[in-house]
Amino acid sequence: MRHLIDNRDLTVSETDALLNLADAIIANPRDYQDACAYKTIATLFYEPSTRTRLSFEAAMLELGGRTLGFASQDTSSASKGESVADTIRVVSSYADIIAMRHPKEGAPVIAAKYAGVPIINAGDGGHNHPTQTLTDLLTIRREVGRLSDLTVGLCGDLKFGRTVHSLVGAMVRYRQVHFVMISPNELKAPDYVLELIDRQAGCSYEICTSMEDAMDRLDILYMTRVQRERFFNEADYVRLKDSFILDAAKLHGAKPEMIVMHPLPRVNEIAVNVDGTPFAKYFEQARYGKYIRMALILGLLNLSGGAGIL
Amino acid sequence: MKIDEIQNGIVLDHIKAGRGMRVYHTLRLDTLDCTVAIIKNVKSEKMGKKDIIKVDEAIDIDLDALGFIDPNITINIIRDGELVEKRCLCAPERLVNVIRCKNPRCITSSEQEIDQIFLLRDAEKLTYRCIYCEAAYRGKES
C-alpha cells in the first residue's frame, strides 16, 4: 500500500506518470466518471482549507466516488484530545483513502503508520504540501511546457511556506533548475530546503531581497502569502506581511512568457490588477489541482488509468 | 590523584573535556549501585584535555546515544583486570528516543507515546533530522 506524505515518496517516473494521467483526464474527463464508483475518500482537515479540501472532494465526486470527513479540529474528536493514531485507525474502517491536513509537522507520518488505507498528506503545518506540488508541476508543465532548464523565483514566506518546501524538493529532481529565493531575512528558506538544492548537481540557488532585481531573468514567479497562523507573535506578522507585493507595474521587465503562480489563498501579495495580465496563471493552477488529485486517487487506489503507475 | 583500577567493568576514554557529565547523565550512570568515577580534565597528548569515566561493573552501554554525543569516545572493556576489548564508535544512522525534537510545531510535541526518531543526514557535521518535521540537531553542539 502506498501513501503520499512527501513528494520524495514518488520517483520522477511515477510523478511523470501522474502528470500524464492528469493530462489524459483533462482531455477526456468522461472516461473516468465512474472509475471510483463505491469508493469513499475521507477528508480529515484539522486546519481550515477551501481549495485543497474541496478539490479532493470534487476530484472524488468526478470519479464517481463519495466523500466524508470534517473541516476543522473543533468538529472532530481531536477537540476531546484524541490522538492522530486513534482517529486514523477508526477512519480507516470507514473510507478507502484518506486525505489529511494537520497543523503539526509530521502528523501524516504517524497517520501512515497506523492507517489501513492510503494516506495523502494535504498539508502538515509549515512542512510539506505534496499535492499542491503535484498541482504546481502540472501547471508548469502545461503552461511553460517543461520542468527543466528553468529559473524559478520563489517569493514571500519561504520559511513557513510549505508549498515552497515541497516544490523545491520535487523540482530539484529535474535538470538545471535555478531558484531565486526572494524573502525578508526573517522568512528565508530553512537550511534543509537549501541543502536539497545543494545536493543536486545542476541545480542552484541565489538569495535575493528585491523582486524587481530578479524579474527579467525568471521563467516562473511563485508568490506565497505570509501566513498569520504560523506566527506565535502577532507583531512579527504585522511587520512582515507586506514585505513583497506584486503589482502590474512590477511585471514590466518580465519575459513575455513568464508565468505568475500562487498556491492561494492570497491576501494582498498579488494586486488584483495582475489578474488580467497574461502572466497570471494562479486560477488555472487551482483548476489543475482537481485533475492531479483525481490522478493521485486513481494511482493510490490502483484503479482505471492509475492501475500500476504507483 | 589516584583512581583505583577496575577489575570488571568499562572505561570510557577520550571524552571531550567538559562532556563527561553529559555522558554520565545520558547513560543514566547515576542509577547504578557500583562505583562510577568521572575524571575531568585529564592531560592528553592527542586531545590536550579529556574526560574519562570508569564504571566498576560490566554494563550494557547505549552505543547510539554515546555515538551521538561524541563518536570519538573509546570504550574499553575490562575483564579480570585486563583490557579485553576496545571499541570505537561511529555516528549511528538512526537515533530512537535518545534526543527529543524541540520544534513546537512537530507532531511529537502533542502525540502521546510515539518514538522520537532521528536519521543521520551529515556524518561529518554530525547532523540529525527528525523523521517527522525534519528539524535539525547537531550532536557535537547539543
Side-chain angles (χ1 to χ4, degrees), chain A residues 6 8 83-85 102-107 109-110 127-128 160 191-192 195 230 232, chain B residues 103-115 121 127 129 131-134 138:
Chain A
D6 184 306
R8 288 167 287 180
S83 66
V84 170
H102 200 283
K104 291 288 187 179
E105 298 171 8
V109 178
I110 305 287
H127 186 216
N128 266 323
F160 299 120
D191 287 347
Y192 80 86
E195 283 170 17
R230 305 286 171 229
F232 289 134
Chain B
N103 175 8
R105 297 178 183 84
C106 180
I107 186 65
T108 55
S109 68
S110 59
E111 191 84 354
Q112 296 295 308
E113 296 183 19
I114 55 172
D115 287 332
R121 286 291 173 84
T127 302
R129 291 202 181 275
I131 66 156
Y132 304 102
C133 71
E134 300 189 71
R138 291 189 172 85

Side-chain angles (χ1 to χ4, degrees), chain A residues 37-104:
Chain A
Y38 307 108
K39 298 290 181 188
T40 302
I41 188 168
T43 52
L44 310 185
F45 276 61
Y46 293 79
E47 268 192 333
S49 159
T50 303
R51 258 155 308 280
T52 307
R53 184 171 64 84
L54 292 182
S55 68
F56 269 114
E57 294 180 357
M60 193 50 145
L61 292 171
E62 292 209 15
L63 291 168
R66 295 170 293 208
T67 71
L68 55 84
F70 52 82
S72 84
Q73 192 155 320
D74 299 339
T75 56
S76 77
S77 282
S79 63
K80 301 174 193 164
E82 185 174 55
S83 66
V84 170
D86 284 359
T87 302
I88 290 297
R89 277 187 279 213
V90 171
V91 176
S92 290
S93 57
Y94 302 151
D96 300 287
I97 188 166
I98 295 171
M100 185 178 89
R101 170 169 290 187
H102 200 283
K104 291 288 187 179

